[in-house]
Amino acid sequence: MEFIVFMIKHFAATAYIVSKIDGEFKVLLHKHKKLNIWIGVGGHVEKEENPKQAVIREAKEETDLEITLVKQFCIQEEKIPKYGKEAAHLHIDFIYFAFAKNPENIKMEEEYGWFSLKDLDNMDLPKEAKYASQNAIKIYT
């Protein structure tokens, strides 16, 4: 007998935010406290929002940066493991590239950094995060 498992799905939105830091275009990544990986900034889409509204809100809440969306890069499905009392689930994640004019105003609680293309080459990132980060920067180079 074969069992089919249906996972709960959540809509999410993520921004790979680029800014010019010390004369070089860099992307903002943060170390996700639950997943322990470096990724872009984002979160769940609320019931009254569309993904664009959600990613702008999440960026402001998490970083205090005002961002301009540059393009929607892709939509990807991500398996999110069980964490505490939260069951494993899937994220249907709308990935955007964005630009921040005021990177010096950043305020984040989680560990973060601005990374160049060269930095990204030497980082152990999930392949989707590395690909999105590199492509976000390449818009400007």
Side-chain angles (χ1 to χ4, degrees), residues 18-78:
V18 173
S19 198
K20 200 165 194 178
I21 312 279
D22 299 325
E24 186 175 13
F25 288 104
K26 296 183 179 184
V27 66
L28 173 65
L29 299 176
H30 75 103
K31 193 162 191 176
H32 194 283
K33 62 184 171 193
K34 292 179 186 176
L35 302 175
N36 199 34
I37 57 174
W38 289 91
I39 55 175
V41 174
H44 289 99
V45 177
E46 302 296 335
K47 287 187 274 189
E48 68 282 354
E49 294 177 315
N50 65 44
K52 287 181 180 180
Q53 293 167 324
V55 78
I56 291 168
R57 175 188 52 77
E58 287 283 352
K60 181 67 174 166
E61 287 176 3
E62 292 184 19
T63 69
D64 207 33
L65 295 176
E66 301 287 340
I67 64 168
T68 301
L69 296 182
V70 177
K71 75 179 274 186
Q72 182 177 339
F73 181 59
C74 69
I75 301 171
Q76 65 188 33
E77 191 172 275
E78 304 155 341

Side-chain angles (χ1 to χ4, degrees), residues 14 17 22 29 74 76 86-87 91 96 100 108 125 128:
T14 300
I17 302 168
D22 299 325
L29 299 176
C74 69
Q76 65 188 33
E86 188 176 5
H91 277 182
Y96 293 92
M108 287 193 78
L125 298 174
E128 297 87 356

